[in-house]
Amino acid sequence: MDEVSRTTAVYESDADAFVDKYLSESIAARFGDDFSEALSGPRVLDVGCGPGVDSATFSDAGLDVVGFDLTPSFVAVARENVPDARFVRGDMRQLPFRDGAFDGVWACASFLHVPRRDAPDTLREFGRVLGDDGVVSLSVKRGEESGYDTDGRYFETYLPGEIRSLVDDAGFHGIRIEEGEGWIRTLASA
C-alpha cells in the first residue's frame, strides 16, 4: 500500500472524527482572500476537499466549485453539506478533468499527502486543468522530515525554497510564498 492509499485508509477508518475536526474551520475563509482575488473566473477545483468546508466557503461566495477527494466518506459528507457544489472522488495525481477546466486550484493541506517522488507530476496535473490565467494555492507543512504521523497518515514536508522550486519547475510563475506557524502557503499563476 503506497503512502496515499494508506493515508486514505486512515481517514476512512475514523471518518466521523476527521469530519468533526475539519468542519470546525474554513481555511479558505481565513486565508483565501488572495486566492479569490487572483481568480480570473468562477471555476474552482478544491483538491483534497475533505468534508467540504472550504468548498462551502467558495460556493457561498458565488463560485462554481468542484470538490475533489479520495476518501469516500469525505465526499459523501461534502455532497450533503454543500448542495450547490459538485463533488468527485479520485486521486489528485491523475485528475479526471479536461485541460483548462478551472480558473483556480485550491489544495489546502492535501498536496502534503503526496510523496515527493509524485509531487512534480501532481503539480503538472494542477497546471493542466487550469486555464491560461489560472492560479493555484498550496498549503503544506514546513519541515525537514517527512513520514507517517502517529495515526498513520503520511505527510511530506517542505522548506520554502523546495516548494518554490517544485512549483517553478512545474511551469507556474509569479510564485508567492508565505510562512506561518509550521505552514507554507504558495500562490502561483499558470
Side-chain angles (χ1 to χ4, degrees):
M1 183 179 299
D2 77 349
E3 296 91 342
V4 173
S5 298
R6 183 172 166 185
T7 298
T8 302
V10 171
Y11 280 131
E12 190 63 26
S13 72
D14 200 9
D16 291 342
F18 284 112
V19 165
D20 288 344
K21 176 182 177 181
Y22 295 137
L23 283 178
S24 67
E25 177 182 30
S26 169
I27 301 303
R30 284 188 61 198
F31 299 107
D33 287 348
D34 57 347
F35 172 75
S36 295
E37 290 167 7
L39 290 172
S40 62
R43 303 166 303 157
V44 172
L45 178 62
D46 182 3
V47 175
C49 66
V53 69
D54 287 345
S55 295
T57 297
F58 294 131
S59 181
D60 291 348
L63 298 173
D64 179 13
V65 182
V66 175
F68 187 78
D69 205 288
L70 191 53
T71 305
S73 294
F74 289 173
V75 172
V77 170
R79 283 183 177 137
E80 272 183 41
N81 289 342
V82 194
D84 292 334
R86 291 169 287 142
F87 293 91
V88 176
R89 183 175 176 267
D91 189 326
M92 72 177 79
R93 297 173 292 180
Q94 294 182 326
L95 296 171
F97 306 106
R98 66 177 169 73
D99 294 0
F102 298 98
D103 301 303
V105 170
W106 174 263
C108 180
S110 58
F111 177 74
L112 50 68
H113 292 308
V114 173
R116 197 169 296 244
R117 68 181 175 276
D118 296 337
D121 288 340
T122 303
L123 286 171
R124 282 191 281 280
E125 271 293 277
F126 292 177
R128 181 187 65 75
V129 301
L130 284 171
D132 291 338
D133 295 324
V135 294
V136 64
S137 179
L138 301 172
S139 299
V140 296
K141 286 190 173 195
R142 186 184 197 291
E144 296 182 42
E145 292 188 32
S146 301
Y148 292 96
D149 70 359
T150 56
D151 58 8
R153 295 175 298 161
Y154 182 81
F155 290 92
E156 191 71 57
T157 63
Y158 293 93
L159 295 175
E162 293 172 323
I163 196 70
R164 179 181 293 281
S165 292
L166 269 174
V167 172
D168 183 53
D169 290 348
F172 291 93
H173 62 278
I175 301 166
R176 295 189 319 211
I177 304 281
E178 290 180 23
E179 293 183 66
E181 286 187 32
W183 290 90
I184 301 170
R185 292 183 57 242
T186 305
L187 184 69
S189 300

